[in-house]
Amino acid sequence: MNILGIETSCDETSVAVISDGKVKSNLISSQLFHKDFGGVVPELSSRAHLQIVLPLLKKSLIDAQISKNDIDIVSVTAGPGLIGALLVGLSFAKSFAFSIGKTFIPVNHIEGHIFSGFLMEEKPEYPFLCLVVSGGHTLLLIVESEMKIKLLGTTIDDASGEAFDKVSKLIGLGYPGGPKIQQYAEKGNEDAIKFPVAQLKSIYDFSFSGLKTSVIRFVDKNYTDRIIPEKDLPDIAASFQKAVVSALTRNVTSAINNYEVKTISVVGGVSANSYLRNSIKEIGSKQKIKTVFPSLEYCGDNAAMIANRGDMLYRNGKSFELNYNAFASLDLSIFL
Ligand code: KG4
Ligand code: ZN
């Protein structure tokens, strides 16, 4: 069984082929030009997807050593994401599936991330606790099976990746912020500045906007015109990173104290963060719970995770017509 995956929800165009459960190709083209604008410009993103998606498909088939007629399923991200960017992938996937006469499967992007641990050799075991940390989402979930997901908590304001990106921009490190903050944090003292970690009524929810504001206040109080000398950046980055990771690990700890889970899986762009990975691994080893992280190529947006989820939906008997209104129907809550 050959499954094609297509991902165009934000600033990565990706095409992948999974054959009998093995990733045969996973090409990712990142739109680096957005950094000149300090964030993703939706219209430019759509146009860039349009230019690259067909060449990526051709190369992906060559890498996987199959022809287009060998494809059995065409799966594609249908949301959430930037509407124009999604439309490029979705329209492309629908027409391609129609032209080769094969099954079309729209996939929820977040579900793609949630199950990305299954692309690894060592897979999550059900039920598993899943922490989704990306640019647009921060979710804590109990994944009971392929088709049963229970939402425990979410962010009430900014997503964790968004917090990394906003603070990075504020302190002059640019976009995307996560990798830059991590890089500076490695040279800094995480206890140099006490940034607050929000305490919410629900022990599973998150809030990062207060933290962002306190970094703004710190910068405004200590530096004129927000110009921060290079030597001060590592301590700010490390202290901020520690505060974000403390909020994430605190809720993960609450969840494993209250739910019996066999695995903790952290997924999404921020799961590439090594400080977060180490903190979660520490919790796992203390509590004797297996931890699973996608490898770096599967942390950020990628089509392998979309093909993988498309495969799961297909095996669970989900079928979709080409005129399926993915935008209206596909949201995470259908599985709650
Ligand atoms: O999952 P993703 O690629 O796209 C969305 O679905 O949003 O996540 C992108 C987010 C960005 O906010 C980026 O700054 C963050 O992931 N990120 C990181 C790291 N690498 C990427 N955050 C913290 N540490 C990293 N090493
Ligand atoms: Zn994503």
Side-chain angles (χ1 to χ4, degrees), residues 167 170 195 211-221 226:
V167 166
L170 170 78
F195 290 127
L211 169 60
K212 177 190 65 195
T213 308
S214 77
V215 180
I216 295 176
R217 286 223 185 91
F218 175 84
V219 169
D220 286 344
K221 197 172 139 208
R226 296 189 175 173

Side-chain angles (χ1 to χ4, degrees), residues 109 113 134 301 305:
H109 180 81
H113 278 302
S134 73
D301 292 343
M305 69 179 192

